[in-house]
Amino acid sequence: MREFAPCGRRFVTFMLSAAVAASLLTACSGATTPKKGLEFTDVASVAARAKQDGADKALSLIADGDATAADLSQSVDDFRACVEAIGMKLSEPVVNPVDGWTPLTDVDFNGVTDSSLQQKAAQCYAKTEQYVELAYELTHKATMDARLMAAVQACLTDRRIDITGSERNVADLVRGSNSSSARGTAVTACIQAKAADLYPGTPITIAF
């Protein structure tokens, strides 16, 4: 079961690129998105919400009840086309090393400070990539990059946080703790620090 927070994973999780995060959070305020606490149990429930919100491009990709790597790639292309249509640019996607699958992109606002245009960029995401990401997450297990996991495990050991050594993803590391708990805070801090060391300048997301 996946609980969905306002404006999607991209807008509410941690990013190393603070300036980009701030821009997206600002843009998010006007987006049409699922409400906090809404839970999806399968791809069909995500598709139903996409249909309700008029996210036709996303719906066309997941209406068959599946979300593939090709669907995810197409959703990024759709997001790109949408933001370019309003005069902005989207960077080439990089795979999030924290979960091993999320395509991370930066929106180049080209100096745009008009909040209405920033909101349109957020709406582009909400209508294209957002629902495909949710569907993909429900059907694929996250796997942290091996180098990052090893570094995070060592960091947690240094902080006297017990680990098994067999963890594969954030869920394994936090063991049901929330982000504000002592364990959750330590996991977040270690991931952010070690990701910055291993992938300088690369944005990441951390989803609990």
Side-chain angles (χ1 to χ4, degrees):
M1 183 177 291
R2 170 65 178 166
E3 183 176 286
F4 192 64
C7 297
R9 307 166 75 256
R10 175 184 309 279
F11 296 103
V12 297
T13 49
F14 298 96
M15 297 185 75
L16 294 183
S17 177
V20 172
S23 295
L24 290 177
L25 283 166
T26 299
C28 182
S29 62
T32 301
T33 55
K35 304 301 182 182
K36 186 175 182 179
L38 180 65
E39 294 177 339
F40 297 115
T41 56
D42 53 25
V43 177
S45 62
V46 178
R49 184 53 192 254
K51 182 177 182 179
Q52 179 182 333
D53 282 356
D56 295 337
K57 287 186 178 295
L59 179 60
S60 70
L61 296 172
I62 61 175
D64 60 357
D66 193 16
T68 66
D71 293 332
L72 197 59
S73 179
Q74 181 60 53
S75 74
V76 175
D77 289 343
D78 292 339
F79 180 33
R80 182 187 311 283
C82 186
V83 296
E84 287 181 350
I86 57 176
M88 300 177 187
K89 296 180 180 179
L90 193 69
S91 67
E92 288 301 314
V94 295
V95 175
N96 181 20
V98 177
D99 62 19
W101 69 267
T102 303
L104 299 177
T105 52
D106 289 344
V107 176
D108 182 351
F109 289 99
N110 288 331
V112 172
T113 58
D114 186 335
S115 61
S116 66
L117 287 179
Q118 293 178 349
Q119 288 169 4
K120 286 181 180 179
Q123 289 167 352
C124 281
Y125 173 73
K127 296 293 188 182
T128 57
E129 190 178 335
Q130 170 179 266
Y131 290 105
V132 181
E133 284 189 354
L134 280 167
Y136 192 91
E137 185 175 25
L138 284 169
T139 54
H140 295 77
K141 187 175 180 63
T143 303
M144 188 178 293
D145 176 79
R147 288 193 305 154
L148 179 58
M149 176 59 79
V152 170
Q153 288 170 329
C155 176
L156 291 172
T157 298
D158 290 343
R159 288 171 172 256
R160 300 184 184 280
I161 301 295
D162 63 299
I163 60 169
T164 66
S166 62
E167 293 87 359
R168 296 184 59 196
N169 50 45
V170 173
D172 292 341
L173 291 169
V174 299
R175 300 180 186 175
S177 301
N178 60 44
S179 59
S180 60
S181 67
R183 187 178 187 92
T185 299
V187 168
T188 297
C190 282
I191 291 175
Q192 288 180 309
K194 298 308 175 182
D197 289 342
L198 291 169
Y199 323 104
T202 299
I204 63 167
T205 62
I206 307 170
F208 278 64

